[in-house]
């Protein structure tokens, strides 16, 4: 075993102690449940029947899930053959007319893994938002109100699988330390009896808050609904009143009754001073599209004759988001959703594709006179080009923070383990760490995402390593102490004039991951690794010199060897990342037990992985540098690593 490299700087502060976190308070739903004659239909098959169904399907279908760059792993991939799990997803959500919110994979490869309580307990995150128990999916209606950030989310109060969807609710002063509140909205009317689904908040100039969300009716029709705070003087917004006018929008002619969901935050159109919202759908030719509605009072809506945008072949658009970004290099701030189009302003159109469970975005121009949006580059249009995140990341939503003058993004991070494991641990899914979103004014063609600055308040002990030389084939351990809650910033330099030989194009998802060697890669960091490297999650760069002599850079995250468990989906995620002349290669990594979020080149390309080590847990987790290239020396110019404190997310202290 190579001795760990000691840090040249070591400093920090002691963590504050916290009392044991209590369980979520019980929420009394008496009087808000529907009468017996309107009993909600079950969304979960009986356990025995479900198991039989999965086993039967398992005998018929075995396929390798496609990830990241959208290509299957290459044949003969030794790393994949050594432990890559096989996934078969059986849908529950689709039959309800919504995307498959419970992936419910039947994962094969030797039977169910023998998880211990210690392993399962370790998987729970420390500073990412998640409820105390049960299933969670999409973030909903984020906003800032009277000194509090509010996050609502899809939640199943009855178990760790998708179903019985209500709105959970939490508040924070800083986007990091969250307090759980009682449920915000429950399915208690005919128009949302099958689920209080995804929605968005709009704060009007007079301070009024309107919440638009999708409900699934007693007949399974998707309709749009209006709710407002029952007590606007309450900064915690603990009670919500559904409008007597509900449903305020129903599927228009030509739109499928189950293809009409997830209204956006409203924006004020400067052409007629009326509000607009957009709702995702698809047409009969399987083109994804965004409908536009006009309203003046949020009760009455007119469907406009034009579509905001449509892209052929992309399928159902859900969780659409639409917002402006500043193109001014000197601005460095987010824009309010109603910021007027014009010089120096671009608009982002984002959709979550039901077909492949990824979030795509485009940058373009919004014309308020026609209520149309056009991409700057049709080759990377919405649904066929850029993604927010090339890993496990979906159903995202942004909001404008008027205090920080920034746009903040959350995404739903689902699980990659088996449903059996979720039930054993009693919870499933979490939210990404909140990110700021800006236009990359250097490239002009992509967004920059970065963890909100408040995460730095969690930093404790910090260590720094400078000028470490990484020879081809080398692995260098770093002495950082506890390595399960980390904030890592790393900068790499590649030897000048490296390797003149041309190589074939590279694809992260179709590669052998960090084990596959090329002339100029892979190199980077191994996190959540054990001493013997039997478990590791690799975050790395891979450079390719083409026949034209130009370098292309790929940023990847490899979970092939992240766990000894066999009932997992293990994949290599990633994509290319723009690197401008004179730039070093840089990466930021947030490690929080079973989630790894990475941001390359200031956030031009982002990757999120869910990993479930069995050995590299608690005090056994380690960090390494590595260079698995065959023909280039790499220098770790600067490595900064902080241990992060826990956020101690807990119920609101009503007694204080």
């Amino acid at each position: 075993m190579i001795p760990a490299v000691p840090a040249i700087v070591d400093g920090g502060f002691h963590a504050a102690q916290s009392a044991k976190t209590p369980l979520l308070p019980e929420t009394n739903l008496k009087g808000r449940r529907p009468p017996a004659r309107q009993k909600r239909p079950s969304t979960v098959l009986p356990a025995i029947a479900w198991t039989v169904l999965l086993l039967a399907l398992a005998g018929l279908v075995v396929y390798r899930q496609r990830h990241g760059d959208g290509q299957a792993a290459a044949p003969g991939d030794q790393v994949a053959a050594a432990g890559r799990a096989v996934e078969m997803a059986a849908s529950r959500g689709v039959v309800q007319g919504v995307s498959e919110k419970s992936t419910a994979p039947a994962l094969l490869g030797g039977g169910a893994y023998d998880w211990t309580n210690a392993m399962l307990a370790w998987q729970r995150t420390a500073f990412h938002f998640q409820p105390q128990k049960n299933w969670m999916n999409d973030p909903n209606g984020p906003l800032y109100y009277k000194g509090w950030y509010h996050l609502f989310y899809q939640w199943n109060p009855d178990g760790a699988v998708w179903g019985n969807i209500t709105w959970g609710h939490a508040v924070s002063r800083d986007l990091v330390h969250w307090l759980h509140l009682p449920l915000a909205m429950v399915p208690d009317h005919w128009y949302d009896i099958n689920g209080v689904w995804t929605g968005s908040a709009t704060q009007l100039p007079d301070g009024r808050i309107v919440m638009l969300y999708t409900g699934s009716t007693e007949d399974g029709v998707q309709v749009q609904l209006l709710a407002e705070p029952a007590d606007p003087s309450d900064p915690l917004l603990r009670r919500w009143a559904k409008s007597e006018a509900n449903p305020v929008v129903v599927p228009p002619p030509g739109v499928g009754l189950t293809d009409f969901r997830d209204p956006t935050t409203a924006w004020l159109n400067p052409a007629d001073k009326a509000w607009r919202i957009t709702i995702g759908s698809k047409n009969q030719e399987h083109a994804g599209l965004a409908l536009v509605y006009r309203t003046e009072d949020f009760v009455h809506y007119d469907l406009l004759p034009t579509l905001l945008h449509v892209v052929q072949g992309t399928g159902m658009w859900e969780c659409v988001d639409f917002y402006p970004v500043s193109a001014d290099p000197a601005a460095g701030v987010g824009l309010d959703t109603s910021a007027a189009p014009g010089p120096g302003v671009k608009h982002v159109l984002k959709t979550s594709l039901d077909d492949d469970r990824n979030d795509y975005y485009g940058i373009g121009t919004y014309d308020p006179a026609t209520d149309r949006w056009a991409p700057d580059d049709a080759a990377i249009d919405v649904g066929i080009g850029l993604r927010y995140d090339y890993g496990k990341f979906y159903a995202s939503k942004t909001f404008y923070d008027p205090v920080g003058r920034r746009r903040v993004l959350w995404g739903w991070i689902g699980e990659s383990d088996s449903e059996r494991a979720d039930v054993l641990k009693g919870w499933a899914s979490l939210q990404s760490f909140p990110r700021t979103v800006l236009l990359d004014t250097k490239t002009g063609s992509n967004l920059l995402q970065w963890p909100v600055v408040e995460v730095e308040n969690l930093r404790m002990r910090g260590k720094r390593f400078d000028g470490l030389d990484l020879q081809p084939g080398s692995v260098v351990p770093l002495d950082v102490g506890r390595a399960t809650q980390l904030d890592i910033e790393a900068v790499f330099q590649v030897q000048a004039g490296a390797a003149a030989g041309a190589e074939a194009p590279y694809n992260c998802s179709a590669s052998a991951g960090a084990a596959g060697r090329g002339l100029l890669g892979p190199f980077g960091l191994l996190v959540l690794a054990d001493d013997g490297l039997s478990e590791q999650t690799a975050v790395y760069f891979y450079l390719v010199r083409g026949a034209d002599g130009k370098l292309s850079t790929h940023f990847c995250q490899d979970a092939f060897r992240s766990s000894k468990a066999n009932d997992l989906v293990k994949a290599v995620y990633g994509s290319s990342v723009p690197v401008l002349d004179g730039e070093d290669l840089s990466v930021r990594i947030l490690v929080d037990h079973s989630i790894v979020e990475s941001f390359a080149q200031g956030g031009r390309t982002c990757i999120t992985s869910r990993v479930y080590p069995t050995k590299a847990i608690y005090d056994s987790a380690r960090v390494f540098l590595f260079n698995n290239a065959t023909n280039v020396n790499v220098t770790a110019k600067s490595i900064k690593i902080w241990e992060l404190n826990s956020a101690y997310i807990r119920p609101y202290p009503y007694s204080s």
Side-chain angles (χ1 to χ4, degrees):
M1 181 65 192
I2 304 172
V5 175
I8 61 174
V9 175
D10 190 349
F13 56 86
H14 295 288
Q17 298 299 312
S18 174
K20 185 178 180 181
T21 305
L23 295 175
L24 274 172
E26 292 294 329
T27 302
N28 184 5
L29 302 181
K30 185 177 180 181
R32 297 201 288 171
R33 293 289 189 185
R37 60 185 175 85
Q38 290 184 318
K39 184 178 179 181
R40 286 178 290 168
S42 172
T43 59
V44 182
L45 292 172
I48 295 176
W50 186 247
T51 301
V52 171
L53 175 61
L54 289 178
L55 291 175
L57 289 172
L60 297 173
V61 182
V62 177
Y63 67 90
R64 189 172 279 170
Q65 186 184 32
R66 298 188 175 203
H67 290 286
D69 305 85
Q71 298 184 19
D77 184 339
Q78 294 180 356
V79 177
R84 187 172 187 178
V86 180
E87 178 184 7
M88 287 182 1
S91 168
R92 293 186 182 135
V94 172
V95 298
Q96 291 290 319
V98 70
S99 71
E100 190 168 316
K101 300 301 187 186
S102 99
T103 50
L107 296 163
L108 309 178
Y113 187 76
D114 188 17
W115 293 101
T116 67
N117 289 335
M119 293 174 187
L120 295 174
W122 179 88
Q123 292 175 16
R124 190 165 182 85
T125 61
F127 57 88
H128 283 74
F129 178 82
Q130 58 184 128
Q132 291 281 4
K133 60 181 180 179
N134 296 351
W135 170 273
M136 175 177 65
N137 52 282
D138 307 9
N140 295 151
L143 75 155
Y144 179 84
Y145 187 69
K146 294 184 182 294
W148 292 93
Y149 294 101
H150 291 257
L151 176 64
F152 305 88
Y153 53 92
Q154 304 276 277
W155 191 59
N156 180 3
D158 299 331
V161 298
W162 183 88
N164 313 315
I165 296 300
T166 69
W167 272 28
H169 184 194
V171 292
S172 173
R173 294 286 195 182
D174 63 359
L175 295 173
V176 176
H177 300 88
W178 292 90
L179 300 170
H180 295 295
L181 292 175
L183 297 180
M185 284 188 281
V186 299
D188 57 1
H189 288 72
W190 69 268
Y191 50 70
D192 62 8
I193 199 67
N194 276 316
V196 181
W197 289 349
T198 296
S200 303
T202 301
Q203 192 161 9
L204 306 185
D206 62 1
R208 176 188 172 198
I209 295 173
V210 293
M211 192 74 75
L212 293 173
Y213 70 94
T214 297
S216 180
T217 73
E218 57 190 0
D219 296 319
V221 178
Q222 293 169 12
V223 296
Q224 312 315 315
L225 309 170
L226 171 65
E228 298 188 49
D231 179 9
S233 67
D234 176 14
L236 299 181
L237 300 176
R238 283 168 286 192
R239 294 186 299 113
W240 289 80
K242 299 176 183 180
S243 174
E244 294 293 331
N246 281 337
V248 293
V249 186
V250 299
V255 169
L257 301 182
T258 59
D259 300 326
F260 183 64
R261 55 185 177 270
D262 310 334
T264 62
T265 298
W267 70 93
L268 193 63
N269 185 303
D272 63 1
K273 305 302 181 183
W275 294 92
R276 303 287 195 273
I277 63 167
T278 184
I279 299 171
S281 187
K282 66 177 180 180
N283 64 20
Q284 294 181 348
E285 288 73 43
H286 204 63
L289 55 89
L291 303 162
V292 183
Y293 284 84
R294 178 185 185 276
T295 184
E296 295 183 0
D297 59 5
F298 290 89
V299 174
H300 304 91
Y301 294 80
D302 295 316
L303 175 63
L304 299 185
T306 59
L307 297 173
L308 182 65
H309 196 51
V310 58
V311 180
Q312 299 299 321
T314 54
M316 178 65 199
W317 283 13
E318 58 179 2
C319 302
V320 173
D321 205 2
F322 185 63
Y323 57 89
V325 288
S326 174
D328 180 359
V333 297
L335 298 178
D336 181 86
T337 308
S338 292
V345 175
K346 292 289 184 179
H347 273 75
V348 174
L349 178 59
K350 166 261 165 183
T351 185
S352 300
L353 285 195
D354 198 16
D355 282 2
D356 69 5
R357 302 295 184 278
N358 292 313
D359 277 19
Y360 293 83
Y361 73 89
I363 298 169
T365 301
Y366 169 59
D367 181 357
T370 62
D371 282 300
R372 291 181 182 271
W373 176 90
D376 288 348
D377 184 351
I380 51 174
D381 204 347
V382 182
I384 61 175
L386 299 174
R387 283 166 49 181
Y388 271 168
D389 192 293
Y390 289 85
K392 195 76 173 176
F393 188 97
Y394 192 63
S396 61
K397 187 169 294 294
T398 68
F399 82 104
Y400 177 69
D401 171 17
V403 177
R405 297 180 65 198
R406 57 188 172 177
R407 182 156 294 273
V408 178
L409 165 72
W410 273 285
W412 165 41
I413 312 300
E415 302 295 328
S416 296
D417 63 353
S418 67
E419 184 175 271
R420 170 184 172 270
D422 293 343
V423 173
L424 285 173
K425 66 191 178 189
W427 58 270
S429 307
L430 55 146
Q431 298 297 327
S432 66
F433 196 80
R435 309 171 179 181
T436 56
V437 180
L438 291 170
L439 178 66
D440 183 356
T441 56
K442 291 182 179 180
T443 67
S445 59
N446 57 269
L447 297 175
L448 298 175
Q449 300 171 62
W450 202 245
V452 296
V453 68
E454 287 88 343
V455 71
E456 297 178 13
N457 293 332
L458 296 177
R459 289 176 175 175
M460 300 189 296
R461 280 192 320 147
K463 292 193 174 184
R464 177 177 165 183
F465 309 84
D466 286 344
L468 299 181
D469 185 41
L470 303 175
Q471 300 290 328
S474 63
V475 179
V476 178
L478 299 177
D479 180 12
V480 299
R482 291 179 61 88
T484 60
Q485 297 171 209
L486 299 177
D487 186 355
I488 302 172
E489 295 180 357
V491 179
F492 296 95
Q493 288 182 326
V494 178
Q495 177 185 11
E503 285 192 292
Y506 186 75
N507 180 291
C508 296
S509 298
S511 75
R517 305 189 69 180
L519 295 176
L520 305 177
F523 58 86
L525 293 106
L526 305 176
V527 298
L528 296 176
D530 65 328
D531 281 325
L533 297 177
S534 66
E535 290 185 334
Q536 57 181 267
T537 296
V539 183
Y540 66 89
F541 292 98
Y542 195 108
L543 279 60
V544 175
R545 191 178 298 279
D548 58 1
K550 295 182 180 179
L551 283 176
S552 61
T553 303
H554 302 263
F555 178 59
C556 315
Q557 201 149 283
D558 173 8
F560 277 160
R561 290 173 289 172
S562 61
S563 175
K564 292 289 188 180
N566 52 18
D567 55 350
L568 304 171
V569 175
K570 301 174 187 176
V572 181
Y573 296 127
S575 181
S576 60
V577 58
V579 179
L580 305 184
D581 290 343
E583 290 184 341
D584 293 328
L585 299 178
S586 64
V587 61
R588 174 108 178 254
I589 307 172
L590 295 182
V591 178
D592 190 3
H593 294 253
S594 58
I595 182 172
V596 179
E597 289 186 84
S598 300
F599 309 82
Q601 299 305 109
R604 288 178 186 147
T605 299
C606 308
I607 307 173
T608 299
S609 295
R610 297 287 281 114
V611 294
Y612 310 87
T614 64
K615 297 178 64 178
I617 59 178
Y618 296 105
D619 291 338
S620 297
R622 303 283 183 265
V623 178
F624 296 80
L625 292 170
F626 79 98
N627 176 10
N628 209 23
T630 62
N631 199 29
V632 67
N633 288 352
V634 176
T635 300
K637 181 179 178 181
S638 172
I639 307 289
K640 300 175 184 178
I641 303 179
W642 293 269
E643 182 181 354
L644 294 185
N645 200 352
S646 297
Y648 300 111
I649 298 170
R650 61 194 188 277
Y652 185 83
Y654 289 99
S655 60
S656 62

